[in-house]
Structure formats: C-alpha cells, structure tokens
Amino acid sequence: MTPTRHGHHYRLKIGLLGGSFNPAHTGHLHVARQAMRHLGLDQLWLMVSPGNPLKPTGGMAPLAERLASARRLADGRRIIATDIESRLGTRYTIDTMRELKLRFPRARFVWLMGADNLIQLPRWGCWLGITRAMPMLVVPRPGFTRRALASQAAQRHQKYRLAARSGLCLPWQAPPAWILLPVRENPVSATELRRRILEGARP
C-alpha cells in the first residue's frame, strides 16, 4: 500500500464509492473517472455493498452478480471493484470507514457520496461520525443536487465546504471537509436500467 516515489514515502490517495451496484452502469464509471481526475486519486474502489440497511431487499440481485457487473466496468488496476464490506463484515458506513482506516493506515481515503445520499445522511447510523471520519466528495444527481445543498447535513457542515478548485487538496484535508464535484449530472440510474431490461429494451 505504500510505494515510494522520488525516494519519499508516498501515500496512496483512494476514492471510495460504495453502493448496491444493482447493476453497475456507465453512470458509475462516469463518476469514478471524474472523481479521479478532480481529486488526483491513485485508485478508486467500487465497494459493492452486501446490503444497504435503508434499501428494500426486494429486487436486489445476489452480491456475486452485482460484483461481477462492477468488475466489468473496472480496469482492476486504478478502478477496482471489491466486496470488501462483505469480507469485513460491516453493514454500516461508519464501521466500514473505521475498519478501512485501521487496515490501511497510510492510505488517504476520500468518501464519494451522491447528492441524494447527502439528503438522507442524517438517517444513517452515527452520521456525524461519518462526516468526521473521512473527507467527502458529493456527486451531483439530477433532481437532488439543489435540495442536497439546502439539506440538514450540508447546512450543518457549510463552513467545512471547500471550493471546487481545491479538489487536489481534499485527500489531505482533515475531516470534516467536503466538495461538490463540478460536473454535469449523469442521468443514468440503476432503477431505470432494471426497468428497461425488464421491458426488453437495450440498456
């Protein structure tokens, strides 16, 4: 985890994009590439969740199937699909964050979160602990971004929001610290993809 660069100890900068990936789609890849570029990340992990406590389990494909769909998007070198949450035995974001920091103490992690999840964040377990565990990159989502910026979580952490141009600094910031990724919203969603597959349309 700690290669050397120019003779100095070099810390890997790793973005974490957690989700159901039910299935993984081009929208996820779009976000991954934009985040890597904006934050100067070395790697981005697509963390396929064993199960989101806030999401219904009906219509959820098996973990192996969802992981396979994420691996088809990943290149296995800089963008990596992983079921690490399942192997860690964590279900809640705060527990996952703590375990990753323990196991990879020299990595600089940034947590990626869709604008829709920023709205829901106060419903998550230990949500204030989440904002203090890792710096965060909030990803625009159609129909949610404006509401997200007016949400309880955003308002409470307004003074910790950095300008978008500070992206390269974000992995080194002590949390709480967050940035709204300045990209065009990607309209692709897994829900729409599943609907079109069921109707026989091409994804």
Side-chain angles (χ1 to χ4, degrees):
M1 280 303 291
T2 53
T4 57
R5 183 175 289 187
H6 307 308
H8 296 293
H9 225 44
Y10 180 71
R11 294 184 175 216
L12 281 184
K13 302 185 293 292
I14 301 171
L16 302 174
L17 180 59
S20 303
F21 296 96
N22 188 39
H25 52 71
T26 54
H28 294 125
L29 191 58
H30 171 77
V31 165
R33 286 173 172 161
Q34 294 281 354
M36 290 191 77
R37 188 177 303 125
H38 194 70
L39 303 181
L41 299 175
D42 298 297
Q43 290 183 345
L44 189 134
W45 297 359
L46 304 175
M47 296 199 309
V48 184
S49 167
N52 181 336
L54 293 179
K55 277 194 175 180
T57 52
M60 186 67 69
L63 175 60
E65 201 174 301
R66 294 183 283 117
L67 181 61
S69 80
R71 283 192 171 139
R72 284 193 289 272
L73 287 183
D75 61 20
R77 190 175 54 87
R78 295 197 65 208
I79 299 179
I80 295 164
T82 176
D83 61 350
I84 194 165
E85 279 189 290
S86 175
R87 288 186 278 119
L88 291 173
T90 56
R91 280 191 76 209
Y92 292 94
T93 297
I94 187 64
D95 297 328
T96 299
M97 289 172 149
R98 286 171 177 160
E99 279 295 318
L100 289 174
K101 287 168 72 175
L102 277 173
R103 289 179 183 235
F104 305 104
R106 295 202 60 79
R108 305 297 303 193
F109 288 114
V110 176
W111 190 266
L112 276 64
M113 174 178 285
D116 50 334
N117 282 326
L118 185 65
I119 296 168
Q120 290 184 25
L121 189 59
R123 293 173 55 201
W124 293 21
C126 195
W127 77 278
L128 289 172
I130 290 171
T131 64
R132 293 185 174 96
M134 292 178 187
M136 301 171 96
L137 183 73
V138 177
V139 178
R141 290 290 305 276
F144 292 102
T145 307
R146 216 169 265 160
R147 278 167 52 206
L149 292 177
S151 69
Q152 179 188 349
Q155 292 298 308
R156 179 147 184 176
H157 294 84
Q158 186 57 39
K159 67 180 176 182
Y160 302 113
R161 182 181 174 187
L162 305 178
R165 64 178 179 274
S166 305
L168 294 177
C169 304
L170 188 63
W172 307 103
Q173 291 292 321
W178 63 286
I179 281 176
L180 178 70
L181 183 63
V183 295
R184 185 174 55 82
E185 296 170 347
N186 190 297
V188 180
S189 80
T191 308
E192 175 66 10
L193 210 56
R194 287 195 300 278
R195 185 185 66 75
R196 287 166 65 180
I197 290 167
L198 285 171
E199 290 176 358
R202 291 177 64 178

Coordinates of all heavy atoms in Angstrom, one line a residue, residues 11-58:
R11 N 1.9 8.2 0.0 CA 0.6 7.7 0.5 C -0.4 7.6 -0.7 O -0.6 8.6 -1.4 CB 0.0 8.6 1.5 CG 0.9 8.6 2.8 CD 0.2 9.4 3.9 NE 1.0 9.3 5.1 CZ 0.4 9.3 6.3 NH1 -0.9 9.4 6.5 NH2 1.2 9.2 7.4
L12 N -1.0 6.5 -0.9 CA -2.0 6.3 -1.9 C -3.2 7.1 -1.6 O -3.7 7.0 -0.5 CB -2.4 4.8 -2.1 CG -1.4 3.9 -2.9 CD1 -2.0 2.5 -3.0 CD2 -1.1 4.4 -4.2
K13 N -3.7 7.8 -2.6 CA -5.0 8.6 -2.5 C -6.1 7.7 -3.1 O -6.0 7.4 -4.3 CB -4.9 9.9 -3.1 CG -3.7 10.8 -2.6 CD -3.7 12.2 -3.1 CE -3.4 12.2 -4.6 NZ -2.0 11.8 -4.9
I14 N -7.0 7.3 -2.3 CA -8.0 6.3 -2.7 C -9.4 6.9 -2.5 O -9.8 7.3 -1.4 CB -7.9 5.0 -1.9 CG1 -6.5 4.4 -2.2 CG2 -9.0 4.0 -2.4 CD1 -6.2 3.2 -1.3
G15 N -10.2 6.9 -3.6 CA -11.6 7.3 -3.5 C -12.5 6.0 -3.2 O -12.2 4.9 -3.8
L16 N -13.5 6.1 -2.4 CA -14.4 5.0 -2.1 C -15.8 5.3 -2.5 O -16.4 6.3 -2.1 CB -14.4 4.8 -0.6 CG -13.0 4.5 0.1 CD1 -13.2 4.5 1.6 CD2 -12.4 3.2 -0.4
L17 N -16.3 4.6 -3.5 CA -17.6 4.7 -4.0 C -18.4 3.5 -3.6 O -18.3 2.4 -4.3 CB -17.6 5.0 -5.5 CG -19.0 5.2 -6.2 CD1 -19.7 6.4 -5.6 CD2 -18.8 5.3 -7.7
G18 N -19.2 3.6 -2.6 CA -20.0 2.5 -2.1 C -21.4 2.5 -2.7 O -21.9 3.6 -3.1
G19 N -22.0 1.3 -2.8 CA -23.3 1.3 -3.4 C -23.8 -0.1 -3.6 O -23.0 -1.1 -3.4
S20 N -25.1 -0.3 -4.0 CA -25.6 -1.6 -4.3 C -25.1 -2.1 -5.6 O -25.0 -3.3 -5.8 CB -27.2 -1.5 -4.3 OG -27.6 -1.0 -3.1
F21 N -24.9 -1.2 -6.6 CA -24.4 -1.6 -7.9 C -25.4 -2.7 -8.5 O -25.0 -3.8 -8.8 CB -23.0 -2.0 -8.0 CG -22.0 -0.9 -7.6 CD1 -21.6 -0.8 -6.3 CD2 -21.6 0.0 -8.5 CE1 -20.7 0.2 -5.9 CE2 -20.7 1.0 -8.2 CZ -20.3 1.1 -6.9
N22 N -26.6 -2.3 -8.5 CA -27.7 -3.3 -8.9 C -28.5 -2.9 -10.1 O -29.6 -2.6 -10.1 CB -28.7 -3.3 -7.7 CG -29.7 -4.4 -7.8 OD1 -29.4 -5.5 -8.3 ND2 -30.9 -4.2 -7.4
P23 N -27.8 -2.9 -11.3 CA -26.4 -3.3 -11.6 C -25.5 -2.1 -11.7 O -26.0 -1.0 -11.7 CB -26.5 -4.0 -13.0 CG -27.6 -3.1 -13.6 CD -28.6 -2.8 -12.6
A24 N -24.2 -2.3 -11.8 CA -23.3 -1.2 -12.0 C -23.5 -0.8 -13.5 O -23.9 -1.6 -14.3 CB -21.8 -1.8 -11.9
H25 N -23.3 0.5 -13.7 CA -23.7 1.1 -15.1 C -22.7 2.2 -15.4 O -21.8 2.6 -14.6 CB -25.1 1.6 -15.1 CG -25.5 2.5 -14.0 ND1 -25.0 3.8 -13.9 CD2 -26.3 2.3 -12.9 CE1 -25.5 4.4 -12.9 NE2 -26.3 3.5 -12.2
T26 N -22.9 2.7 -16.6 CA -21.9 3.7 -17.1 C -21.9 5.0 -16.3 O -20.9 5.7 -16.2 CB -22.3 4.1 -18.6 OG1 -23.6 4.5 -18.6 CG2 -22.0 2.9 -19.5
G27 N -23.0 5.3 -15.6 CA -23.1 6.4 -14.7 C -22.0 6.3 -13.6 O -21.4 7.3 -13.2
H28 N -21.9 5.1 -13.0 CA -20.9 4.9 -12.0 C -19.4 5.1 -12.6 O -18.6 5.7 -11.9 CB -20.9 3.4 -11.5 CG -22.2 3.1 -10.8 ND1 -23.0 2.0 -11.1 CD2 -22.8 3.7 -9.7 CE1 -24.0 2.0 -10.3 NE2 -23.9 3.0 -9.4
L29 N -19.2 4.6 -13.8 CA -17.9 4.8 -14.4 C -17.6 6.3 -14.7 O -16.5 6.8 -14.4 CB -17.8 4.0 -15.7 CG -16.4 3.8 -16.3 CD1 -15.5 3.2 -15.4 CD2 -16.5 3.0 -17.6
H30 N -18.6 7.0 -15.1 CA -18.5 8.4 -15.3 C -18.1 9.2 -14.1 O -17.1 10.0 -14.1 CB -19.9 9.0 -15.8 CG -20.0 10.5 -15.9 ND1 -19.4 11.2 -17.0 CD2 -20.6 11.4 -15.1 CE1 -19.6 12.5 -16.8 NE2 -20.3 12.6 -15.7
V31 N -18.8 8.8 -13.0 CA -18.4 9.4 -11.7 C -17.0 9.1 -11.2 O -16.3 9.9 -10.8 CB -19.5 9.0 -10.6 CG1 -19.0 9.3 -9.2 CG2 -20.8 9.7 -10.8
A32 N -16.7 7.8 -11.4 CA -15.3 7.3 -11.0 C -14.2 8.1 -11.7 O -13.3 8.6 -11.1 CB -15.2 5.8 -11.2
R33 N -14.4 8.2 -13.0 CA -13.3 8.9 -13.8 C -13.2 10.4 -13.5 O -12.2 10.9 -13.4 CB -13.6 8.7 -15.3 CG -13.3 7.3 -15.7 CD -13.8 7.0 -17.2 NE -13.3 5.8 -17.7 CZ -13.9 5.2 -18.7 NH1 -14.9 5.7 -19.4 NH2 -13.4 4.0 -19.1
Q34 N -14.4 11.0 -13.3 CA -14.4 12.4 -13.0 C -13.8 12.7 -11.6 O -13.0 13.6 -11.4 CB -15.8 13.0 -13.0 CG -16.5 13.0 -14.4 CD -16.1 14.1 -15.2 OE1 -15.3 15.0 -14.8 NE2 -16.5 14.1 -16.5
A35 N -14.1 11.8 -10.6 CA -13.6 12.0 -9.3 C -12.1 11.8 -9.3 O -11.3 12.5 -8.6 CB -14.3 11.0 -8.3
M36 N -11.6 10.8 -10.0 CA -10.2 10.5 -10.0 C -9.4 11.7 -10.6 O -8.4 12.1 -10.1 CB -9.9 9.3 -10.9 CG -10.4 8.0 -10.2 SD -9.8 6.5 -11.0 CE -8.1 6.5 -10.4
R37 N -10.0 12.3 -11.6 CA -9.3 13.4 -12.3 C -9.3 14.6 -11.4 O -8.3 15.3 -11.2 CB -10.0 13.7 -13.6 CG -9.3 14.8 -14.5 CD -10.0 15.0 -15.8 NE -10.1 13.7 -16.5 CZ -11.3 13.2 -17.0 NH1 -12.4 13.8 -16.7 NH2 -11.3 12.1 -17.6
H38 N -10.5 14.9 -10.8 CA -10.6 16.1 -10.0 C -9.8 16.1 -8.7 O -9.3 17.1 -8.2 CB -12.1 16.4 -9.7 CG -12.4 17.7 -9.2 ND1 -12.3 18.8 -10.0 CD2 -12.7 18.2 -7.9 CE1 -12.6 19.9 -9.3 NE2 -12.8 19.6 -8.0
L39 N -9.7 14.9 -8.1 CA -9.0 14.8 -6.8 C -7.6 14.3 -7.0 O -6.9 14.2 -6.0 CB -9.8 13.8 -5.9 CG -11.2 14.2 -5.6 CD1 -11.8 13.2 -4.6 CD2 -11.4 15.6 -5.0
G40 N -7.2 13.9 -8.2 CA -5.8 13.4 -8.4 C -5.6 12.1 -7.6 O -4.6 11.8 -7.0
L41 N -6.6 11.2 -7.7 CA -6.6 9.9 -7.0 C -5.7 8.9 -7.7 O -5.6 8.9 -8.9 CB -8.0 9.3 -6.8 CG -9.0 10.2 -6.1 CD1 -10.4 9.5 -6.1 CD2 -8.6 10.4 -4.6
D42 N -5.1 8.0 -6.9 CA -4.3 6.9 -7.4 C -5.2 5.8 -7.8 O -5.0 5.0 -8.7 CB -3.3 6.5 -6.4 CG -2.3 7.6 -6.1 OD1 -1.5 8.0 -7.0 OD2 -2.3 8.0 -4.9
Q43 N -6.2 5.5 -6.9 CA -7.2 4.5 -7.2 C -8.6 4.9 -6.8 O -8.7 5.8 -5.9 CB -6.8 3.2 -6.3 CG -5.6 2.5 -6.8 CD -5.3 1.3 -5.9 OE1 -5.9 1.0 -4.8 NE2 -4.4 0.4 -6.4
L44 N -9.6 4.2 -7.3 CA -10.9 4.4 -6.9 C -11.5 3.0 -6.7 O -11.5 2.2 -7.6 CB -11.8 5.2 -7.9 CG -13.1 5.6 -7.3 CD1 -13.5 7.0 -7.5 CD2 -14.2 4.7 -7.9
W45 N -12.1 2.7 -5.5 CA -12.7 1.4 -5.2 C -14.2 1.5 -5.4 O -14.9 2.4 -4.8 CB -12.4 1.0 -3.8 CG -10.9 0.8 -3.6 CD1 -9.9 0.9 -4.5 CD2 -10.3 0.4 -2.3 NE1 -8.7 0.6 -3.9 CE2 -8.9 0.3 -2.5 CE3 -10.8 0.1 -1.1 CZ2 -8.0 0.0 -1.5 CZ3 -9.9 -0.2 0.0 CH2 -8.5 -0.3 -0.3
L46 N -14.8 0.6 -6.2 CA -16.2 0.5 -6.3 C -16.6 -0.6 -5.2 O -16.3 -1.8 -5.4 CB -16.6 0.0 -7.7 CG -16.2 0.8 -8.9 CD1 -16.5 0.1 -10.2 CD2 -16.8 2.2 -8.8
M47 N -17.1 -0.1 -4.1 CA -17.4 -1.0 -3.0 C -18.8 -1.5 -3.1 O -19.8 -0.8 -2.8 CB -17.1 -0.3 -1.7 CG -15.7 0.1 -1.5 SD -15.2 0.4 0.2 CE -16.5 1.5 0.7
V48 N -18.9 -2.8 -3.5 CA -20.3 -3.4 -3.7 C -20.8 -3.8 -2.4 O -20.2 -4.7 -1.7 CB -20.2 -4.5 -4.7 CG1 -21.6 -5.1 -5.0 CG2 -19.6 -4.1 -6.0
S49 N -21.9 -3.2 -1.9 CA -22.4 -3.4 -0.6 C -23.2 -4.8 -0.5 O -23.9 -5.1 -1.4 CB -23.4 -2.3 -0.3 OG -24.2 -2.6 0.9
P50 N -23.0 -5.5 0.6 CA -23.8 -6.7 0.8 C -25.2 -6.4 1.0 O -26.1 -7.2 0.7 CB -23.1 -7.4 2.1 CG -22.4 -6.3 2.7 CD -22.0 -5.3 1.7
G51 N -25.5 -5.2 1.5 CA -26.9 -4.8 1.7 C -27.0 -3.5 2.4 O -26.4 -3.3 3.4
N52 N -27.8 -2.6 1.8 CA -28.0 -1.3 2.5 C -29.1 -1.3 3.4 O -30.2 -1.7 3.1 CB -28.3 -0.2 1.3 CG -28.5 1.2 1.9 OD1 -28.8 1.4 3.0 ND2 -28.2 2.2 1.0
P53 N -28.9 -1.0 4.7 CA -30.0 -1.1 5.7 C -31.2 -0.2 5.4 O -32.3 -0.5 5.9 CB -29.3 -0.7 7.0 CG -27.8 -0.9 6.8 CD -27.6 -0.7 5.4
L54 N -31.0 0.8 4.6 CA -32.1 1.7 4.3 C -32.8 1.3 3.0 O -33.7 2.0 2.6 CB -31.5 3.2 4.1 CG -31.0 3.8 5.4 CD1 -30.5 5.2 5.2 CD2 -32.1 3.8 6.5
K55 N -32.3 0.3 2.3 CA -32.9 0.0 1.0 C -33.7 -1.4 1.1 O -33.2 -2.3 1.8 CB -31.8 -0.2 -0.1 CG -31.4 1.1 -0.8 CD -30.6 0.8 -2.0 CE -30.3 2.2 -2.7 NZ -29.5 2.0 -4.0
P56 N -34.8 -1.5 0.4 CA -35.6 -2.7 0.5 C -34.8 -3.8 -0.2 O -34.0 -3.5 -1.2 CB -36.9 -2.4 -0.3 CG -36.5 -1.2 -1.1 CD -35.5 -0.4 -0.4
T57 N -34.9 -5.1 0.2 CA -34.1 -6.2 -0.4 C -34.8 -6.7 -1.6 O -34.2 -7.5 -2.4 CB -33.9 -7.3 0.7 OG1 -35.2 -7.6 1.2 CG2 -33.0 -6.8 1.8
G58 N -36.1 -6.4 -1.8 CA -36.8 -6.9 -3.0 C -36.2 -6.4 -4.3 O -35.9 -5.2 -4.3

